[in-house]
Amino acid sequence: MKVAVYPGSFDPITNGHIDILSRATVLFDKVIISVLENPEKTPLLDLEKRLELIRTATKDMPKVEVDCFSGLTVNYALQKKACTIIRGLRVISDFEKELQMAHINRKMTPEIDTIFLMCNLKYAFLSSSMVKEISFLGGDINCLVPECVKTHLNKLRETR
Ligand code: ADP
């Protein structure tokens, strides 16, 4: 059974994340999308809401499991018996940070590899922060996020 972990903030999950996830499920028997509880970041959505939105958005993806973790990603991957960490790459600036992270992770845990999937060209400009900004400014995020995310962000905008 080949298991991969797809870690991130997912604040909120976007169609770019879903695209990476669906391509990862072709390569692995199980993909665990896992929200990192990162004390360094102040998310817009709390952990429970992010998990709920991911669960709804991935309900028709049987190979996907939804989870959360804190601490080192490699330790979490070992605990989940995963052999691989999945990350998405959009632009060159992603690459530099990700390369450093992948090398550090390999140094700590050589038995776990990192695989990078190039994002779909149509999502190359897409990030969670961009989605939040567009939504709060009243823009259309229809083709950028799953339906449940759009509904939730619209609700937040109306109550702001
Ligand atoms: P993090 O804080 O770990 O970067 P994100 O939720 O922003 O968390 O991203 C999680 C992963 O998804 C990262 O590997 C990131 O590069 C990737 N990703 C983010 N947006 C996209 C996108 N539009 N297309 C493909 N991959 C993406």
Side-chain angles (χ1 to χ4, degrees), residues 6-10 16-17 20 41 87-88 90 98 119 123 126:
Y6 180 33
S9 311
F10 308 108
H17 296 130
I20 295 288
K41 289 192 179 178
R87 296 289 286 173
R90 286 161 295 184
E98 294 292 343
C119 86
Y123 299 131
L126 180 57

Side-chain angles (χ1 to χ4, degrees), residues 118-155:
M118 302 301 288
C119 86
N120 188 315
L121 198 53
K122 67 181 174 183
Y123 299 131
F125 62 94
L126 180 57
S127 65
S128 298
S129 40
M130 193 67 85
V131 160
K132 288 180 277 195
E133 200 170 333
I134 296 172
S135 170
F136 288 139
L137 293 172
D140 181 10
I141 53 167
N142 243 326
C143 48
L144 306 181
V145 292
E147 187 66 30
C148 58
V149 173
K150 187 186 87 173
T151 308
H152 186 67
L153 290 183
N154 283 346
K155 215 187 300 169

Side-chain angles (χ1 to χ4, degrees), residues 68-86:
C68 60
F69 73 105
S70 54
L72 289 175
T73 306
V74 282
N75 287 349
Y76 173 72
L78 283 176
Q79 183 200 322
K80 288 287 170 181
K81 302 197 179 345
C83 54
T84 309
I85 295 168
I86 306 267

Side-chain angles (χ1 to χ4, degrees), residues 52-106:
E52 181 196 315
L53 293 173
I54 296 172
R55 280 194 199 103
T56 307
T58 60
K59 66 177 188 322
D60 296 326
M61 302 174 91
K63 285 180 165 184
V64 171
E65 192 178 298
V66 183
D67 196 18
C68 60
F69 73 105
S70 54
L72 289 175
T73 306
V74 282
N75 287 349
Y76 173 72
L78 283 176
Q79 183 200 322
K80 288 287 170 181
K81 302 197 179 345
C83 54
T84 309
I85 295 168
I86 306 267
R87 296 289 286 173
L89 285 180
R90 286 161 295 184
V91 287
I92 297 287
S93 53
D94 277 349
F95 182 73
E96 237 177 88
K97 196 186 82 194
E98 294 292 343
L99 181 71
Q100 189 182 14
M101 191 64 79
H103 280 308
I104 288 177
N105 281 340
R106 174 167 311 150

